[in-house]
Amino acid sequence: MESAADQISDKHQPKWEGKACAEVAGCKAEQVWPLLEDFFGLNKWFPTLTTCLPVEGVSGQPGCTRYCAGFKTHANSGDVIMNWTKQKLLSIDPDELTFSYSIIDGNVGFNSYVSTVKVLPTEEGCSIEWRYEVEPVEGWTLGDLDSFIGSGLQVMAKRMEAALKADVVLEDEATLEVPVCQHTNPQC
């Protein structure tokens, strides 16, 4: 028979922590930052996220809240469930190209989820680092969460790179200058 202390310790498992990183090849950190800084615009970049709406506050200001819906997870890959979360911007530092947010409500089981996203300059362009911690999620493993966030971030980086390259090409055609964003393929 388990003691009361054993039962309590089972309920207080350590939080899962993880980190994902993705290269945005040939694009400067200062080019990528505005795309991430738009807190209410995540649906432009994150795969399968169909909705990202303002709930409260001004995008990019601490305390603002967004509603995100439509993303798929491994837990409901065959089910027709509309996944959703409400996310609150905790802090933002444009000088350090970083922000933190938490999930404050939702139906995906991410309790006490806090994430910090940072854009880091590299020799070949920049990379996006996404650190997160969350209480263990029922029906998931830490590997599932790592895969979900990691693969999502890789798609985001590629979409941002393509958008920035397209924007530079349009500017290039208008000004006949050499494009700033040139494609390379370094590893993160």
Side-chain angles (χ1 to χ4, degrees), residues 9 38 42-43 53 94 129 154 159 162 171 186:
S9 69
D38 177 14
L42 183 62
N43 59 316
L53 300 172
E129 179 184 273
Q154 292 298 321
R159 287 179 176 177
E171 287 177 16

Side-chain angles (χ1 to χ4, degrees), residues 21-33:
C21 188
E23 188 75 22
V24 186
C27 300
K28 295 179 181 178
E30 295 77 19
Q31 292 174 289
V32 172
W33 173 248

Side-chain angles (χ1 to χ4, degrees), residues 54-103:
V55 173
E56 183 178 343
V58 176
S59 184
Q61 298 295 314
C64 71
T65 304
R66 65 187 176 195
Y67 169 84
C68 296
F71 56 94
K72 295 179 182 175
T73 68
H74 87 283
N76 69 327
S77 58
D79 298 336
V80 183
I81 296 173
M82 176 65 76
N83 287 321
W84 65 272
T85 59
K86 278 189 186 174
Q87 304 172 1
K88 184 175 188 172
L89 184 63
L90 301 174
S91 65
I92 189 164
D93 187 340
D95 295 329
E96 294 295 319
L97 307 180
T98 187
F99 67 89
S100 295
Y101 71 95
S102 65
I103 293 178

Side-chain angles (χ1 to χ4, degrees), residues 33-176:
W33 173 248
L35 306 180
L36 289 169
E37 185 181 36
D38 177 14
F39 195 68
F40 296 156
L42 183 62
N43 59 316
K44 297 172 191 169
W45 315 114
F46 196 85
T48 74
L49 183 65
T50 57
T51 303
C52 184
L53 300 172
V55 173
E56 183 178 343
V58 176
S59 184
Q61 298 295 314
C64 71
T65 304
R66 65 187 176 195
Y67 169 84
C68 296
F71 56 94
K72 295 179 182 175
T73 68
H74 87 283
N76 69 327
S77 58
D79 298 336
V80 183
I81 296 173
M82 176 65 76
N83 287 321
W84 65 272
T85 59
K86 278 189 186 174
Q87 304 172 1
K88 184 175 188 172
L89 184 63
L90 301 174
S91 65
I92 189 164
D93 187 340
D95 295 329
E96 294 295 319
L97 307 180
T98 187
F99 67 89
S100 295
Y101 71 95
S102 65
I103 293 178
I104 57 173
D105 197 7
N107 68 346
V108 292
F110 289 9
N111 297 317
S112 299
Y113 179 93
V114 177
S115 180
T116 300
V117 178
K118 185 171 181 74
V119 183
L120 302 162
T122 66
E123 286 186 25
E124 303 297 324
C126 70
S127 65
I128 303 169
E129 179 184 273
W130 185 338
R131 293 182 179 267
Y132 45 92
E133 67 176 42
V134 65
E135 291 177 4
V137 181
E138 186 175 336
W140 291 62
T141 66
L142 179 55
D144 294 333
L145 184 59
D146 287 342
S147 177
F148 174 72
I149 292 176
S151 62
L153 182 58
Q154 292 298 321
V155 171
M156 284 177 61
K158 292 298 179 200
R159 287 179 176 177
M160 290 175 175
E161 181 181 324
L164 289 168
K165 285 175 60 179
D167 189 40
V168 169
V169 168
L170 291 175
E171 287 177 16
D172 183 45
E173 290 173 359
T175 63
L176 299 175

